[in-house]
Amino acid sequence: MPDDGHRRVAAAAALLHTDAVDAGKGGRRGADRRGLRSAVVVNPVKVADLDELRRVVDETLTAAGWSEPLWYETTVEDPGRGQTEKAVAAGVDVVFACGGDGTVMSCVSGLVGTEVALAVLPQGTGNLLAANLGLSGDLAAGLEVAVEQGRRRLDVGAVDGHHFVVMAGMGFDAQMLADTSETTKARIGWPAYVVGAARHLRDRPMKVSIRVDDRPPLRRRAKSVLVANVGRLQGGVTLLTEAEPDDGYLDVAVLTPRTLRQWLELGWAVVRRRDRVPRMEVLRCRRVEITSNRAQPRELDGDLIEPGRSLRAEIRPGALWLCVPRPAQAPDLTEDADAVAERGERRVEEARGE
């Protein structure tokens, strides 16, 4: 059971829920009276028509009373963190991350610990944070979520100077990402990950030592170890039903299937949202260190990072403001996602005079 200190952290995190940003809540939060300022950090490789994107975003935001946004393009050398930090220095209230998982993750790292909110305009395939908000690649829905000003403080996971909002992983999940081609993702969407996964179901497990907080290390033979802040995967599948984005804890899932039948049993239980999932052990902690007997592929929020023998993660409670569908305090971040998409389409059409 959590001790009193941990309960106080969780209670404090709960108090940070907000249905809108109060005018007097720090820094530039009083900007509602003059129109919010924003910036778009965009990965041009992920956008089919950048000029059209700029036109729709600019028209929609200005019609909503916002200032015309600043625009920053990512590069191979800087996938978004530097551009986000420039936007923060310029005094914006919201940064739109427009791209895939790598763009979103880089923007998160640039916003952690600031009063500037992140909004997601997903352009990549299977964007994990967008999936946890119930947003697809719908530009209008992403804009509407920001304009309606549902804001929520979320915990953020930290790994070697990088950050994640959804989950980090080591082993099978990262290998699946590495072996899923961009061409296949562009053609069929998130089911492309199933193709990548099928290639590694029979791979030999890794021998891992898992140390959570100050407890003695656990030794397991695992296919994958996931460190989650939020529990939903690509395609909207919920892996960890108890994971909450602002409870001050990380949920660690240790997956240990060895045969195809065990994989099927695990997958069926996840799809059916069973309380007990076979071949999956769940731990809760504020920090975790996973060490493998050999170098493993690793990922943060669906984006690959350098392979390594270890993965060390810790929670940073309430470190990020995120634009979310209303009501902002709902246990499920996808609450109202379908309705907000419809409202967003109407807003974009009105802004374009259609």
Side-chain angles (χ1 to χ4, degrees), residues 201-279:
L201 292 178
R202 297 182 183 274
D203 287 358
R204 65 190 177 105
M206 54 184 176
K207 296 178 182 179
V208 293
S209 169
I210 305 169
R211 185 180 182 90
V212 295
D213 295 329
D214 296 322
R215 303 173 214 165
L218 304 174
R219 303 193 185 279
R220 299 288 186 269
R221 292 176 63 87
K223 286 293 184 69
S224 182
V225 182
L226 297 169
V227 182
N229 184 43
V230 182
R232 191 175 273 112
L233 304 175
Q234 285 96 345
V237 176
T238 300
L239 178 67
L240 292 159
T241 57
E242 300 298 319
E244 297 182 12
D246 48 11
D247 61 359
Y249 287 92
L250 295 167
D251 290 69
V252 181
V254 185
L255 307 184
T256 59
R258 297 188 181 184
T259 67
L260 180 58
R261 179 176 179 176
Q262 290 173 353
W263 273 115
L264 291 173
E265 291 172 347
L266 186 155
W268 180 247
V270 168
V271 171
R272 296 295 298 272
R273 302 193 71 171
R274 299 276 176 81
D275 291 335
R276 294 179 62 85
V277 176
R279 295 291 172 173

Side-chain angles (χ1 to χ4, degrees), residues 111-122:
L111 292 176
V112 164
T114 75
E115 288 296 306
V116 179
L118 173 71
V120 182
L121 299 180

Side-chain angles (χ1 to χ4, degrees), residues 38-42 61 66 94-98 107 117-121 142-143 146:
S38 64
V40 182
V41 176
V42 58
L61 293 181
W66 291 36
V94 176
V95 169
F96 290 93
C98 186
C107 290
L118 173 71
V120 182
L121 299 180
L143 290 169

